[in-house]
Structures are given as C-alpha cells and as structure tokens.
Amino acid sequence: VLTVAIGGDIARYTNDNTSSYSIYTNEAGTIVYGGSCSSSLDQAQKDNNTVTFNELSDGTYDNCTLMVSDAVGNTSNMISVGTFTIDTVPPVLEQISIQSDNINSSSLAKTGDNLTLGFSSSEPLDNSSTVTLLGKTLTPTAQGNSYSVTYTIQDNDTEGVVAFTTIAKDLAGNQMLFTATSDNSSVKFD
C-alpha cells in the first residue's frame, strides 16, 4: 500500500509566499497536487522529501492537497496541508496617541503620573510587539485591534518630551517601527 504523510504543518501564519514542508512516502512516485498550491517538485523519492510551493499571493489557503502515484498506478491517500495564511505586509498603526493622567493637563506629567500610549492596528499583533517609553520596554495589552500600554513615571526618569518607540509585529512576523503619534499628541515630563 502506497502511503504519504506530512512531516509537519506549515506555519499557520507566514510571510514566506514559497513555504516549504516535508512529506514522507513509502515508495517513489509522481506527486499530484490539488487546490491552490503547486510545486516544481513532481517526483517523490522513497522516504522524506521537501516540497516548496510555487509562489502564492497573500491570502488564506485551506484547499492544498497532494497524493503520490507509483509507476504501476497505485495511488496514495490524498492528504491536506492544512489551513495557512500568507501575509507579507507589515501592520499599520493608526490613532496613535499619548497622554498622561496629570490633574492639570493630559500633555504634562510629573513623578507618579501615569502615561498611556494607545493605538489601533490594521491586523492582530503578535505578543512579541513592544512599546518603549522612557527607556522601559512594555508589552501592549489588546482589546480587539486596539492596544495600549500604561507606565507610571518614576523620579529617576529623564525629563522632557516623552519619546516612545513601538515595534508592531503581526502574526506572520512582519514588523514596522513607529515613533510618532498620529494626532500630534505629546507629553512633557517635568
């Protein structure tokens, strides 16, 4: 009996539009692809084989299949590669705003005041996304596609206009750096 098995799933999210995966077959034969995916590899050797897809556009793929047919016409089971999404575009942040909870002005801060940087993203962000405020690296919390960080100003923080750096990383690994608000908001620590 001719059998084929996938040696591991393609990453559920990837920024590689020519993703690779391994298949195992117990006999050599011709690979037949189905669905949206194809590959220049059309002959499988007995044992492990690495299949690299021909270039795919950004999008979600859930219909990619393959089977192997040997020289006498026996065919393997049809196997599915699984569902995966190709995304080669970095996230876009919007509504980037910074403010303090200072009693006199949201654009001023003193020791003990809380700074909040908030933004929305064009797509969900990975947990490795970060915001650096006053030299402190923070992980944004999510509510849908809205994110925020809050930091309490310490007396040893550097005075002046509060600078920040946001590294937004999407689920496929694309990242973009943001260092300015989109609404011209700012906070001065004094």
Side-chain angles (χ1 to χ4, degrees):
V1 174
L2 180 60
T3 59
V4 175
I6 291 189
D9 290 335
I10 291 178
R12 185 166 177 223
Y13 293 94
T14 181
N15 57 13
D16 179 1
N17 58 5
T18 59
S19 297
S20 297
Y21 61 98
S22 63
I23 63 168
Y24 169 83
T25 179
N26 64 342
E27 290 183 43
T30 302
I31 303 173
V32 178
Y33 298 93
S36 302
C37 303
S38 61
S39 174
S40 60
L41 180 67
D42 59 0
Q43 295 298 312
Q45 304 302 312
K46 179 181 177 181
D47 208 7
N48 293 315
N49 297 263
T50 299
V51 175
T52 301
F53 285 141
N54 293 331
E55 189 169 321
L56 295 166
S57 301
D58 280 20
T60 299
Y61 296 87
D62 61 1
N63 65 348
C64 297
T65 60
L66 66 86
M67 67 179 192
V68 174
S69 176
D70 69 14
V72 296
N74 296 313
T75 58
S76 72
N77 50 318
M78 180 75 70
I79 57 172
S80 171
V81 174
T83 300
F84 61 97
T85 299
I86 295 175
D87 173 11
T88 60
V89 179
V92 174
L93 299 188
E94 299 173 321
Q95 301 171 343
I96 306 169
S97 180
I98 189 169
Q99 63 183 18
S100 81
D101 66 354
N102 182 280
I103 194 165
N104 295 319
S105 173
S106 63
S107 63
L108 299 173
K110 63 180 178 7
T111 299
D113 287 345
N114 292 309
L115 294 176
T116 300
L117 178 79
F119 55 89
S120 63
S121 176
S122 60
E123 59 186 305
L125 299 180
D126 184 79
N127 291 337
S128 64
S129 297
T130 60
V131 173
T132 303
L133 272 171
L134 293 170
K136 312 301 187 286
T137 301
L138 309 166
T139 302
T141 56
Q143 189 166 15
N145 277 359
S146 294
Y147 297 83
S148 65
V149 294
T150 300
Y151 174 73
T152 303
I153 295 179
Q154 308 298 309
D155 58 1
N156 60 346
D157 286 327
T158 304
E159 292 186 356
V161 175
V162 175
F164 70 89
T165 301
T166 301
I167 300 173
K169 186 175 179 182
D170 67 19
L171 301 176
N174 304 299
Q175 70 180 33
M176 186 68 86
L177 179 78
F178 297 88
T179 58
T181 61
S182 56
D183 64 358
N184 294 318
S185 59
S186 65
V187 173
K188 182 178 181 183
F189 169 45
D190 186 14

